[in-house]
Every structure is written in structure tokens, then in C-alpha cells.
Amino acid sequence: MIICQFCSNNFKTQQVLEKHQKTAKYCLKKQTDETEKKDETEKKVFNCEACLKVFTNKRNCESHVTKCIAFKLIKNNNKELIEKDQLIKQLEAKIKNLEERLEIYKSDHECIQEIAKQPRINNNNTVNKYLNITPFTIKEREIERKVSLNFTEDNFLEGQKGIADFTYNNLLLDDNGISKYICKDINRGNFAYKNENGDIEIDYNADKLINIIHKDVIAKSQTIKSNGIKNSEEIEYKNKYIDNFVEIKELKTHNTKFVNRLGILTNRINSIPVIEDEIEKNIIPIDYEYMLEQSKFLTKDHVKEGINGYVKFAINYTFKNRVYCSDKNKNVLTYKITKDGCDKFVDEIGGVKICIEFFKSIELANKKITEEIQKILKIQLSKVVSNMTDEEYHKYEVIDDLLFEIDEQNSAIKYLSFGKETDFLHKFVQVLCNHF
């Protein structure tokens, strides 16, 4: 007996079977179903849910997911959201405690007002500091206008730190460039300002200032976020806009980054370190053209060492005699630029702008070197795999890890070349300041 492969019926001869397969409607339908099923299987594809890259093989897709940057970003974002929810609950529990302490702060407030009204000399100049500041008064329409005109995408992409920078530069400085809003206690996040009646007011945790700017900043941030998501093709950039907007929306409830940054800026007039004259004399102006020229000295050793390698390259080439750290506690990078024919010193807290320019200048050279290293490592990897024993598996892991790390840092530098701030950048600045 011969069994039909499509409908499982039995036939005595091959000739009868073939005739059956050509004429029997049931069998023909089974054949059609089998063909469609086969076509469907052949056409089936597997997508990476994060970056939408398409694979025809499930195993290849799963292997890709373990190294997909977009997938890791989404995974980390989900983890951060859970952590933020937990943090919100903790903060809500602290609110009650802060309300109970409010009465104590009110008495402190009244005491400072009385002291400020007395024209006496104080050895630590705390009272005089408040008496000499310009009254802080600003109208709602003026805030709306300045946010609309001056709050930029760069501010947005720096999150709460960017809001602090915008607020300081556009709302808190008087005509002489002196802050009208003073950090009273940087550890507790308390600030002081003189109202229009000349009385000193304390702003605990910058709550009053945040209430003034919150509405307009959120509205402008919403517009920047929507445009950024619409114009970004890569999912990692879309996530960056979403994350920053979430951080900015939390300005009233979770404002640590804003308060810390504002504390540094408004306390800066009393804490800028004195720069030695000899160092200033030896500093040479720096510009992007010079940085680009220095990129030719970037080597494979620099790239393989990761952040430490890039720091060595910066100190020995691009930043040599042109950039130095003038305050390691605040990661202040000091350098000289030429503008309108005049040399001007810049003290940049955090060093973000100058270091982003640095990574922009080496992006192409870094990409070329990375590809060369990856090519060599892949050859090494194939040799290890072809002759691999249990004892040699460690070699495979070392090469595979190095391949992954170099690919990750190349992606981070590419991201920085678009002017976007990353954890990779902050680690670089920290290590750079420690090496100066």
C-alpha cells in the first residue's frame, strides 16, 4: 500500500496515487493548503522590537537583541521608570516631614529679614551679600517671552540642568551680570533674594522660582519634544526626547538636578577658584579646526583603552596647553577662545560643550580605526571558533566582549557628534579632570 503524503489515504499502485493527487478535490485542497503554509513559513520574518531591524531567522534575531543598543536603551528606560515610581513614593512620604519643618523655617525667615534691615558690618559678609543684590522682580509676560525666544533645544536636551542654565542666564542676572538670586545653603538647596519692597525672602528648595517658570517651560518643552520625535529616525534619539521631557515634567516633585545646578551657578560668584597667572599666560586659544587637525594622532591603542585612552589622547594632543581643569570638585574646564579678534577665557562648569566638540572632531577618525580593529578581531574570533576547545572558550569570550565594547563606544561617540549629552561624556569629563 502507498500512502498519499497530502491526505494520508492508501493506494495500491503508484499510478493510482498519481491520478488521485491530480484529480481528487480534497487532496488538491490539501496540496494548496500545504503550499500556502510553506510559502507563509518561507516568508516569515522576525523583527527586533526596538530598532525594527528585520531577520529571516529567529536565532539571528535573538542574537541581535543581546547586542542591540536600542533594545538596551528601552530596557534601561523601563527600569528607570520603575525606579522613578519608587522614588516618587519615597518623596511623598518626605513631604509630610517637610511640612512639619516649615514652621521652623518660617521663624528663620523672619530672623533673616530683621538682620537684613540692620545696617551693621558682619565679618562673613553674609548679610551684606543680600543687601547689595538687585531686587528680583519679573512679570509673567516677560517670563513667557523669554522662554519662547531663548529656551532652546540644547537647554531641553540637558534636562533640568538645562533649565537651570536657562533660568540663570535669562532671568536671574541683573544689568551688571550679577545674580539677583543667591544660594544660601547649597547642601539644603535653599536660596535668598530681595523682593520689590527690599525685604529678604528665602526660597526653600527653589520652590517659588520653579512655580514662576514651570508653566512656560513645560509648554515649550512639549513643543520641542514633539518636533524632536517627529524629526528623529533612530529610536535612541526618540527615547532621549521622551526621557528629557519626563525629567522636566518632574520639576515640581523631583527637582534635585535643577536645584544642584542652580546652587552651583548662584553660588559661583563666591567660589570660583583663582587661576594662577603663570597658567593663564601659557594657555593657547582653541577652536574646532585645530581639534580636527589633531584627530590624525588618534591611534588603535587610544580606542582600545576606551575612556582612559581618549583622555590620554585629549591631554597629550587636542587639549595640551589649551584646556585645563580649574576646579576638580565642579569639573570646571577652563580654556581660551578667540572672538571678534579678542582672546577670551571660558570657565565651563561640567565641560560639556568643549568635550562634545572634542568628540565631534575625532568621530570620523574613530570610526575608521574602530572598523580596522573590528576586522582584525573578527578574523581572530573565527580562528578561535574553528579550533575551539573547552579550555580556549575564555579566549572567545575576551574577543567577543572587546568587539562589543568597541562597537558600543563607537556608537556613543557617533551620538555625541550630533551634540547629544550622554553618560559616556560625563564619565570622560570626570576622568579627564582627575588626570589634569
Side-chain angles (χ1 to χ4, degrees):
M1 300 294 287
I2 303 173
I3 300 174
C4 176
Q5 67 188 83
F6 300 110
C7 63
S8 302
N9 287 321
N10 297 323
F11 300 92
K12 291 183 179 180
T13 65
Q14 181 69 30
Q15 186 178 1
V16 175
L17 173 64
E18 289 175 357
K19 184 178 179 181
H20 159 79
Q21 290 178 341
K22 291 177 181 178
T23 58
K25 291 182 179 178
Y26 176 75
C27 188
L28 289 169
K29 185 176 185 303
K30 284 281 186 180
Q31 292 175 45
T32 303
D33 291 343
E34 284 287 327
T35 303
E36 289 176 354
K37 186 176 180 181
K38 185 178 179 182
D39 290 341
E40 225 175 87
T41 303
E42 290 175 352
K43 291 177 182 177
K44 189 170 183 181
V45 295
F46 302 87
N47 295 330
C48 172
E49 295 179 359
C51 68
L52 306 181
K53 192 172 182 179
V54 177
F55 299 87
T56 55
N57 183 287
K58 184 179 180 181
R59 186 175 178 182
N60 289 343
C61 183
E62 290 174 344
S63 176
H64 160 79
V65 166
T66 63
K67 298 181 180 181
C68 178
I69 296 173
F71 183 85
K72 289 182 179 180
L73 285 171
I74 291 173
K75 186 177 178 181
N76 290 338
N77 289 342
N78 290 337
K79 183 180 178 182
E80 287 176 7
L81 287 174
I82 293 171
E83 290 174 350
K84 287 175 181 177
D85 287 339
Q86 293 174 344
L87 186 58
I88 287 171
K89 290 178 181 178
Q90 293 174 5
L91 290 171
E92 287 174 345
K94 289 180 180 179
I95 287 175
K96 287 186 179 180
N97 179 262
L98 291 172
E99 288 174 344
E100 292 172 358
R101 293 166 61 188
L102 183 60
E103 292 301 318
I104 299 173
Y105 290 144
K106 282 182 179 178
S107 62
D108 182 29
H109 178 191
E110 292 170 357
C111 179
I112 291 175
Q113 282 185 318
E114 290 301 316
I115 294 172
K117 292 176 182 178
Q118 300 174 18
R120 59 179 181 170
I121 298 173
N122 188 293
N123 289 333
N124 60 17
N125 292 323
T126 301
V127 177
N128 288 332
K129 177 172 69 174
Y130 296 142
L131 287 174
N132 293 330
I133 61 175
T134 304
F136 176 52
T137 57
I138 190 164
K139 295 180 180 178
E140 188 175 332
R141 287 185 179 179
E142 181 67 8
I143 294 173
E144 183 180 358
R145 185 183 70 83
K146 288 193 174 183
V147 170
S148 176
L149 293 175
N150 301 333
F151 186 74
T152 65
E153 186 175 11
D154 287 339
N155 295 132
F156 173 85
L157 289 171
E158 290 184 6
Q160 291 189 13
K161 285 173 60 182
I163 296 175
D165 289 338
F166 162 79
T167 304
Y168 176 74
N169 291 317
N170 291 274
L171 304 177
L172 302 184
L173 299 179
D174 63 17
D175 294 338
N176 296 316
I178 298 173
S179 181
K180 298 179 283 187
Y181 188 87
I182 302 295
C183 180
K184 175 178 177 287
D185 186 337
I186 197 166
N187 294 319
R188 296 181 181 177
N190 294 336
F191 301 85
Y193 64 93
K194 187 186 291 185
N195 64 24
E196 57 186 358
N197 297 322
D199 297 326
I200 301 300
E201 292 195 25
I202 305 301
D203 191 5
Y204 299 105
N205 207 37
D207 288 340
K208 294 178 184 177
L209 180 61
I210 289 172
N211 282 332
I212 292 173
I213 66 171
H214 184 265
K215 176 184 173 183
D216 295 312
V217 167
I218 294 296
K220 183 66 180 288
S221 296
Q222 175 73 57
T223 302
I224 294 173
K225 182 203 76 170
S226 300
N227 291 336
I229 292 174
K230 182 179 178 181
N231 297 327
S232 298
E233 295 182 0
E234 296 187 29
I235 193 166
E236 56 190 287
Y237 297 155
K238 294 179 186 287
N239 288 337
K240 179 70 173 175
Y241 283 96
I242 293 170
D243 290 346
N244 281 19
F245 185 67
V246 170
E247 182 180 304
I248 290 170
K249 279 188 73 176
E250 293 176 339
L251 194 57
K252 281 190 173 183
T253 57
H254 183 208
N255 56 16
T256 304
K257 292 181 180 179
F258 174 84
V259 171
N260 287 347
R261 177 65 171 172
L262 194 65
I264 291 171
L265 293 171
T266 56
N267 194 49
R268 192 179 176 198
I269 56 173
N270 300 313
S271 60
I272 294 178
V274 177
I275 301 170
E276 296 178 8
D277 291 339
E278 195 60 36
I279 297 177
E280 282 195 1
K281 289 177 183 177
N282 294 329
I283 289 294
I284 304 168
I286 189 168
D287 57 31
Y288 183 73
E289 187 178 346
Y290 172 79
M291 291 184 181
L292 202 57
E293 184 184 337
Q294 294 299 299
S295 66
K296 64 186 177 185
F297 297 111
L298 187 69
T299 67
K300 290 178 184 177
D301 289 335
H302 292 132
V303 176
K304 284 182 180 178
E305 284 189 58
I307 286 178
N308 287 326
Y310 294 116
V311 166
K312 288 178 183 177
F313 171 72
I315 290 175
N316 293 324
Y317 293 96
T318 310
F319 288 170
K320 187 176 182 180
N321 296 328
R322 296 172 190 267
V323 179
Y324 70 96
C325 181
S326 55
D327 188 340
K328 291 187 178 182
N329 293 325
K330 298 176 183 176
N331 290 339
V332 179
L333 292 182
T334 298
Y335 52 95
K336 188 188 290 184
I337 60 172
T338 302
K339 189 174 182 180
D340 299 328
C342 298
D343 290 343
K344 174 185 175 184
F345 272 99
V346 176
D347 296 315
E348 188 185 340
I349 299 175
V352 171
K353 290 182 181 179
I354 188 68
C355 289
I356 283 180
E357 289 296 296
F358 165 75
F359 281 111
K360 278 184 183 179
S361 71
I362 67 168
E363 196 264 332
L364 290 178
N366 186 78
K367 181 182 177 183
K368 183 179 178 182
I369 292 172
T370 297
E371 289 173 351
E372 290 173 359
I373 295 173
Q374 287 176 328
K375 186 177 180 181
I376 294 170
L377 290 175
K378 285 176 182 177
I379 292 172
Q380 292 176 357
L381 196 64
S382 63
K383 288 181 180 178
V384 171
V385 170
S386 62
N387 303 304
M388 190 164 61
T389 61
D390 291 339
E391 291 78 13
E392 291 177 326
Y393 185 73
H394 177 66
K395 292 181 183 178
Y396 170 84
E397 287 185 312
V398 171
I399 298 172
D400 190 55
D401 287 345
L402 186 56
L403 259 173
F404 178 73
E405 288 169 9
I406 287 177
D407 187 60
E408 288 277 284
Q409 74 185 25
N410 185 56
S411 298
I413 291 172
K414 180 181 177 182
Y415 195 73
L416 283 168
S417 70
F418 291 107
K420 313 299 182 182
E421 197 172 332
T422 65
D423 289 339
F424 183 88
L425 175 69
H426 294 303
K427 289 176 184 176
F428 171 82
V429 173
Q430 185 65 58
V431 175
L432 179 69
C433 288
N434 289 338
H435 276 71
F436 272 118

